[in-house]
Amino acid sequence: MIPASPRRAPSGGAITLGDAPEPEAWDALVAASAAPHPHFSRHVIEAHRAVGLLPAALRYVTVREGGRLVALLPYRTARDLSGLGGRILRPFLSPYVTATAPLIADGPDRAAHALALVTGLEAAAGGSAWRWPLLPTGEGAVPEMLAAMRARGWAIGTVAGFDRPVMDRRADHAAFLADHPDRARFKDLRRRARRLAEAGTVTHACATAGADLARLVTSFLDLERAGWKGRAGTAMACRPESAALARALFTAAPGPVGVRADALTLDGRPVAVSLALVHGGTATLLKTAYDEDLRSHAPGLLLEAEIVRACHETAFADRLDSATSEGSALEGLYRDRVPVAEIIAVPPGRQVIALERRLRLARFERDARAAARRALRRR
């Protein structure tokens, strides 16, 4: 793909629709971005590419100011029910992407960078709508982006939304527990931990690189495949390419995104494993699996409680992002919330399909998919 000719941003910078930026500039933007998340980092995108899970038609809106990359969004076009089968645009999405905020450099000029990105989104759309899932609407530069859209005449509507559990680190673990609104949850977890300890020695282990990390990734794949996801055929180990993606995502590599694996072990055997990407002070707890034969002991939640403790004791992150959808068991463990929404945003111009009709179609599709997932889990 040959990049399109650069357009001029309102502030005088250059907007380009085309290929991915050079690695150094990309990593620098990831490191400097507001409300950092790892999903549009080079690490994650290249992991998908390496195992054949990156859409061939993926393009990038990029904004440069003074030669510096200040905004980026990977996107693709698709046919979608919300457009009656017509063309819409979406940010890059895969089953392993849990947030889709664009990368926008933080600092005093971030509103100008957001406006320039919106100009690029209009150019990419060519009059088509954007369907934008998993957008943290109150985080980083997203409010500035939405404000710029509205100021330029975009029509924006919300398909659905939920509050995602996150944990912002307190002064210490005692302070976290002291005014937690659900103390009964921790009392129950202590009881379950005592019961599990009756079966053997329980420990918490973690790894960030090397053979230990690789072993915990393998343990995660084995645990997930042995559970209901394996029976449903949706575990990462059920498909060679998704198993390869797990190993590519959760392997330490140069750049601003780190990797962390945590495990709860019983006599040395992992009975729950959590895999996280760590960037900009946030640990995104992307995947978790546990031994379902020990379900009554809640090993997954016991591990999450240990991760909370380790976060306070070692300060490996300022925030834990649950990376969950609505109705997560972590809602009773994590105290803080981040609003996440799916929106449809239509650039100014003649609307062939009314925004409200698009929203109704998108909600119908969303409800149908949720029902299918519930049925699959009951199998």
Side-chain angles (χ1 to χ4, degrees), residues 2-13:
I2 299 174
S5 299
R7 294 167 170 80
R8 303 309 297 176
S11 59

Side-chain angles (χ1 to χ4, degrees), residues 8 32 38 64 77 81 93 133 135-136 156 158 160 194-195 225 252 329 344 373 378:
R8 303 309 297 176
R64 295 177 186 273
T77 61
L81 181 62
L93 195 66
L135 183 65
I156 303 173
T158 300
R194 288 193 299 269
R195 288 179 54 201
R225 187 168 193 170
I344 291 178
R373 286 194 296 270
R378 288 194 297 266

Side-chain angles (χ1 to χ4, degrees), residues 334-358:
Y334 288 4
R335 299 180 49 185
D336 310 298
R337 298 291 185 268
V338 168
V340 176
E342 178 178 6
I343 68 168
I344 291 178
V346 186
R350 188 174 70 90
Q351 295 188 30
V352 177
I353 305 171
L355 175 62
E356 284 304 318
R357 189 177 187 188
R358 291 183 184 273

